[in-house]
Amino acid sequence: MHLTPSPIPQEARPDHGDPDYLALERAQNDANARPGPRYVPARSIPIPTSASGLLQEMIAAPYALPKWTASHPQRPEDWKRPVDLLTASTLSTMADTRRKLAVRLDEKVVGGVRVFELTPENIRRENEHRILVHLHGGGFVYFPGEAGTMEATLMAAYAGYRVLSVDYRLAPDFPYPAALDDAMSVYRALVQEKDPRRIAVFGTSAGGNLTLALMLRAKAEGLALPGAIGPGTPWSDLTRAGGGDTMETLEWIDGNLVSYNGYISHSAIAYASGNDMADPLISPLRGDFRGLPPAILTSGTRDLFLSLTCLTHRKLRQADVVAELHVYEAMAHGQYLNPWPPSRRRCIRRSDPSLIGILHDSHQA
């Protein structure tokens, strides 16, 4: 049977006669005629029609100022203004978000560390004896106190869990290992009173780093590991060289992080505070992942940390850890934390089987 191929619509045919394109083609061939770095022309990146209307608005928004530059702080006191501005902006919407999502916030102390407990109006029956530990993002410098609870609020609301968000100490006033010490204190206290298989630990960006670092430290100290982990777009290597391909290819395209040379390069220095950034407890991608709990990792196609997320996922799989990787179309770094796009709800619901549900099947928790 002979099949005649369908003609290509006129509007879909490349215009090889366009003199501007032909000139660009020749220039690019010349620029890349020898082995070495790839030279690309300056160009605009259109808003993808594959994204939802609300996500398109988020993509089209200006860069996240002053967060991403943080005025290029040179001294510890230079962080105060950008941190205070972002904290005030975040807190201005938190109470209303909790009200709309029917989530209650209570302040507690666990293991000597302040935590915020986020409780949904309806906890799913299968989750009544489970708890999630949340380690917030913000480059180890942003989102003190209640300002760090947005992701925990969303997980409580959309997945139906009780969530403990750790208010860990922040750089530059409290550099490494203060944040990890606080996370460890909370986790140690929880496993003393609860079956660790009923616990999951999750967080985005710096929170993903701390999630992985906490696992490495707990394993080293002989502490039972939790049932699952959820390092979202984890900042698993603080060095630019360890950040992978998209640290370069998505620079200026990610509207949130924008560039490693923005605030994250400064916050990495503030957090490490003279310690070796290759230390696995600072850059956990350099650690031994054998024996870690099942994991879910999340990123987006415009995320500066997309390569870091893929590298982390690959290393988990190479260590025979059950690990899922979810990459969302057109999302920049941490953009799934917006509470209202439908994609956020899908992201949270997908995390349900990976964070706890698969453990219910495999461990009969």
Side-chain angles (χ1 to χ4, degrees):
M1 179 178 176
H2 179 71
L3 297 178
T4 302
S6 301
I8 300 175
Q10 181 66 38
E11 62 272 15
R13 297 176 186 171
D15 184 1
H16 292 300
D18 181 349
D20 291 336
Y21 176 78
L22 291 175
L24 177 62
E25 183 183 82
R26 287 191 295 270
Q28 284 301 109
N29 285 337
D30 291 342
N32 295 281
R34 293 191 177 101
R38 177 70 70 232
Y39 295 96
V40 297
R43 67 191 191 276
S44 62
I45 309 296
I47 307 302
T49 57
S50 54
S52 68
L54 184 52
L55 183 54
Q56 288 184 41
E57 291 180 17
M58 295 167 66
I59 294 167
Y63 291 148
L65 289 169
K67 177 177 180 279
W68 91 267
T69 60
S71 302
H72 297 292
Q74 302 300 313
R75 303 165 300 171
E77 55 267 31
D78 294 339
W79 285 103
K80 180 173 173 48
R81 182 174 182 274
V83 168
D84 287 350
L85 285 172
L86 189 58
T87 299
S89 172
T90 303
L91 289 177
S92 68
T93 63
M94 288 296 301
D96 189 53
T97 298
R98 288 197 303 270
R99 180 184 61 78
K100 289 177 179 177
L101 295 176
V103 172
R104 188 181 76 245
L105 179 144
D106 296 294
E107 185 177 326
K108 296 186 173 184
V109 174
V110 176
V113 177
R114 183 168 74 157
V115 301
F116 295 94
E117 184 177 68
L118 287 305
T119 307
E121 190 171 55
N122 295 303
I123 296 178
R124 295 181 185 178
R125 183 176 178 181
E126 64 270 24
N127 296 337
E128 287 178 355
H129 300 291
R130 296 169 177 162
I131 190 165
L132 305 187
V133 176
H134 171 241
L135 301 169
H136 67 80
F140 306 102
V141 294
Y142 284 120
F143 304 121
E146 186 185 326
T149 62
M150 175 60 81
E151 185 177 22
T153 300
L154 301 181
M155 186 66 86
Y158 290 138
Y161 292 108
R162 185 165 62 98
V163 182
L164 288 184
S165 184
V166 182
D167 185 24
Y168 59 83
R169 289 169 292 169
L170 296 171
D173 293 337
F174 300 99
Y176 172 84
L180 185 56
D181 285 347
D182 290 348
M184 192 68 180
S185 294
V186 172
Y187 181 70
R188 185 183 289 110
L190 285 176
V191 297
Q192 288 175 353
E193 62 181 43
K194 198 172 192 67
D195 182 347
R197 295 175 302 175
R198 297 178 182 270
I199 301 170
V201 182
F202 74 104
T204 286
S205 194
N209 172 300
L210 289 170
T211 296
L212 294 165
L214 177 63
M215 296 304 100
L216 296 179
R217 182 163 161 184
K219 185 174 72 165
E221 295 186 12
L223 203 60
L225 299 184
I229 56 174
T233 178
W235 193 10
S236 50
D237 191 315
L238 268 60
T239 68
R240 180 167 190 153
D245 190 46
T246 58
M247 196 70 78
E248 307 294 337
T249 60
L250 293 179
E251 186 178 32
W252 308 110
I253 294 174
D254 182 332
N256 188 10
L257 287 180
V258 187
S259 169
Y260 178 84
N261 290 324
Y263 95 92
I264 60 173
S265 62
H266 300 287
S267 67
I269 294 170
Y271 178 63
S273 189
N275 291 285
D276 185 0
M277 286 191 194
D279 184 331
L281 293 183
I282 294 176
S283 292
L285 183 58
R286 299 168 184 261
D288 181 359
F289 284 177
R290 287 175 295 179
L292 264 58
I296 182 171
L297 300 99
T298 309
S299 186
T301 61
R302 290 187 171 220
D303 182 359
L304 201 68
F305 288 178
L306 173 57
S307 283
L308 263 181
T309 308
C310 292
L311 290 168
T312 304
H313 175 254
R314 177 54 50 197
K315 185 161 185 175
L316 286 165
R317 294 296 301 271
Q318 289 171 341
D320 294 324
V321 176
V322 175
E324 295 183 7
L325 173 62
H326 297 279
V327 179
Y328 286 84
E329 166 66 7
M331 280 194 176
H333 181 72
Q335 217 159 38
Y336 56 81
L337 294 179
N338 185 293
W340 310 123
S343 54
R344 175 55 188 165
R345 292 190 288 275
R346 288 195 299 271
C347 176
I348 285 289
R349 286 166 183 163
R350 281 184 182 274
S351 73
D352 179 21
S354 294
L355 278 176
I356 289 290
I358 57 173
L359 304 162
H360 177 74
D361 296 334
S362 60
H363 297 292
Q364 291 79 49

